[in-house]
Amino acid sequence: MSGIPVVGLFRCASYERNILGERLDALLESMGGMDRFVHPGERVLLKPNLLSASLPGRCITTHPEVVRAVALRVLAAGGRPFIADSPGLDGFSGVASKTGMAEVARELNISCEELDDPVPLPMAEGSVFQRVEVSRKAVEADRIINLPKLKTHAQMMLTLGVKNLFGTVVRQRKASWHYTVGLDRDVFADLHLDIARSLAPSLTIMDGIEGMEGRGPGNGHPRHFGLLAASTDPLALDLRLCSLLGADLQAFPLYRSAARRNLLPENIGKTGGDLPPDFTFEKVDIPRLDSLHLLPSFLDGIGKRFLSSRPVQRPGDCIGCGKCARLCPAGAMVMKKNNFIDIDYEKCIRCYCCQEVCPEDAIGFSRGFLLRVLDFLGR
Ligand code: SF4
Ligand code: SF4
């Protein structure tokens, strides 16, 4: 398999079935064909990004045409695909219906299920975290095909192949992890990397046809990238994408985690496909992350209060749904009268969950002192 690239990158202009099918076949062929990853009779978890109950055009979730096209090829290889994810807050049936997954499942006569029933994940050697629970369905699947969406992420900079597998953690337990990990993005990246290495998906195919930039993963702007990408190693895919998007690798918590742990994949420059070798996307709006750990840890509170960005509600845009307060892992938000939310900044761990979950983009982040200084210096 020496001729197979570590990361396959193919242009794909749209979700139109003929175009997508032809491009996906070219991508799969470059990776050795679907038969390399799926054997007859195997139960194959297709794990899209189903963050919330949103229409495909909002580019928050993996497009149903990508999931459909991959499912058809798994079926053709003799596999038994099922679509599953664990949305953070919205009910699963509403998510499945609005994102188009239920319709795909109906048409192909396959199941579309919630990832529930948490069980311990056997952790890969060298994991930082020794006990992580994910859905039994992810642990017991014969194969996982990981189907992330290309999006920026206000807390972690990008959400691609590795972070998509954090979605196998069942529902509110994701929020518990936010609280456990607290302020440290690099530790959170360690957790994401541990889960991805332990689940070891057979293949990651990323929907980068229409992605999101800016304040992702839920409130950024759709952007046409026209890209389908794949790798057997989601970390290699993410690091290659980070460069392709013009983002600073050193600022990417996932890269820092992998580098610190000597887990950087070899040959991530060995790409195949039809992008020119020196291609990068222009002027992608990548969130800038402020460091929350410039001071010694016992001064975290001061750093948090005076230096870091903080969530701010825009009451005029709020519809009072209460999702943010229900999800807040630190219990830092209290709904008051007239859609006003009281935020306790001492408790707040700057996890960005409230911004992520808000359906009305009614929560912004005021820029922290450090980012404002960097802005002033033009960096
Ligand atoms: S207020 Fe928002 S950023 Fe702060 S802990 Fe709660 S959900 Fe996270
Ligand atoms: S800020 Fe957003 S998530 Fe929170 S109550 Fe208002 S609309 Fe709902």
Side-chain angles (χ1 to χ4, degrees):
M1 297 282 175
S2 60
I4 293 178
V6 177
V7 181
L9 302 165
F10 277 77
R11 291 182 229 240
C12 184
S14 80
Y15 294 107
E16 201 272 310
R17 285 185 181 173
N18 288 339
I19 294 172
L20 173 59
E22 186 268 318
R23 299 278 72 201
L24 180 62
D25 285 338
L27 176 65
L28 287 170
E29 195 177 320
S30 78
M31 303 303 296
M34 186 60 94
D35 294 347
R36 180 184 165 208
F37 307 105
V38 173
H39 300 132
E42 287 179 337
R43 191 161 158 73
V44 182
L45 163 61
L46 303 180
K47 164 65 181 78
N49 182 330
L50 300 184
L51 177 69
S52 61
S54 41
L55 292 168
R58 290 191 63 200
C59 299
I60 293 172
T61 51
T62 307
H63 199 283
E65 286 295 328
V66 171
V67 179
R68 177 183 180 277
V70 173
L72 280 169
R73 283 147 185 84
V74 171
L75 286 165
R80 295 181 293 135
F82 67 106
I83 303 165
D85 196 8
S86 175
L89 196 63
D90 293 332
F92 185 78
S93 63
V95 171
S97 154
K98 199 126 185 209
T99 58
M101 297 301 146
E103 179 58 35
V104 169
R106 248 191 315 275
E107 180 200 341
L108 302 186
N109 197 24
I110 62 178
S111 69
C112 181
E113 307 171 17
E114 178 163 8
L115 286 177
D116 52 10
D117 191 10
V119 295
L121 172 65
M123 302 307 292
E125 199 179 321
S127 291
V128 172
F129 294 86
Q130 296 307 313
R131 186 176 171 93
V132 178
E133 294 192 341
V134 301
S135 168
R136 179 187 297 280
K137 294 170 184 171
V139 173
E140 294 185 351
D142 296 316
R143 300 272 179 178
I144 297 175
I145 297 186
N146 184 26
L147 299 172
K149 184 81 168 170
L150 192 172
K151 292 190 290 182
T152 51
H153 195 282
Q155 186 197 16
M156 303 301 285
M157 202 160 115
L158 297 169
T159 171
L160 305 167
V162 168
K163 189 164 184 309
N164 190 46
L165 295 162
F166 182 57
T168 59
V169 172
V170 172
R171 282 202 162 259
Q172 294 283 359
R173 288 168 188 243
K174 293 187 192 68
S176 306
W177 274 112
H178 277 282
Y179 191 67
T180 304
V181 171
L183 288 175
D184 203 322
R185 293 188 176 96
D186 287 11
V187 178
F188 206 26
D190 280 339
L191 174 67
H192 296 157
L193 196 47
D194 282 354
I195 292 173
R197 292 177 70 240
S198 304
L199 285 172
S202 300
L203 185 61
T204 294
I205 302 174
M206 194 196 64
D207 168 14
I209 300 171
E210 305 289 341
M212 178 178 281
E213 62 179 349
R215 285 188 293 114
N219 283 306
H221 311 291
R223 171 161 171 171
H224 179 78
F225 291 99
L227 183 71
L228 273 180
S231 180
T232 54
D233 179 351
L235 175 62
L237 180 108
D238 289 10
L239 300 184
R240 185 68 189 89
L241 258 291
C242 183
S243 302
L244 207 59
L245 295 167
D248 177 7
L249 264 179
Q250 298 291 339
F252 189 20
L254 183 63
Y255 173 84
R256 290 201 301 268
S257 165
R260 179 171 29 83
R261 296 166 61 182
N262 288 323
L263 294 174
L264 288 178
E266 291 178 6
N267 300 325
I268 56 171
K270 189 185 167 197
T271 51
D274 60 4
L275 287 188
D278 55 353
F279 179 84
T280 53
F281 290 101
E282 300 225 332
K283 294 186 180 159
V284 181
D285 182 1
I286 306 278
R288 286 177 73 177
L289 312 183
D290 47 353
S291 173
L292 300 172
H293 280 292
L294 290 181
L295 301 175
S297 54
F298 68 93
L299 293 176
D300 268 350
I302 293 176
K304 207 166 59 163
R305 188 181 311 171
F306 296 112
L307 304 180
S308 68
S309 304
R310 51 165 63 183
V312 182
Q313 186 209 15
R314 292 185 280 269
D317 294 334
C318 175
I319 56 170
C321 69
K323 284 184 177 181
C324 54
R326 285 202 299 282
L327 188 69
C328 175
M333 310 184 98
V334 178
M335 287 291 312
K336 300 281 189 181
K337 284 184 185 160
N338 302 324
N339 296 349
F340 178 77
I341 295 168
D342 193 20
I343 303 175
D344 182 339
Y345 292 111
E346 292 295 321
K347 286 186 180 172
C348 169
I349 57 170
R350 305 328 195 242
C351 66
Y352 290 68
C353 288
C354 48
Q355 185 185 70
E356 193 173 308
V357 79
C358 177
E360 299 297 320
D361 197 13
I363 295 192
F365 265 70
S366 71
R367 293 172 83 69
F369 177 73
L370 289 174
L371 280 184
R372 280 186 275 129
V373 168
L374 290 174
D375 285 347
F376 179 74
L377 295 174
R379 293 180 56 194

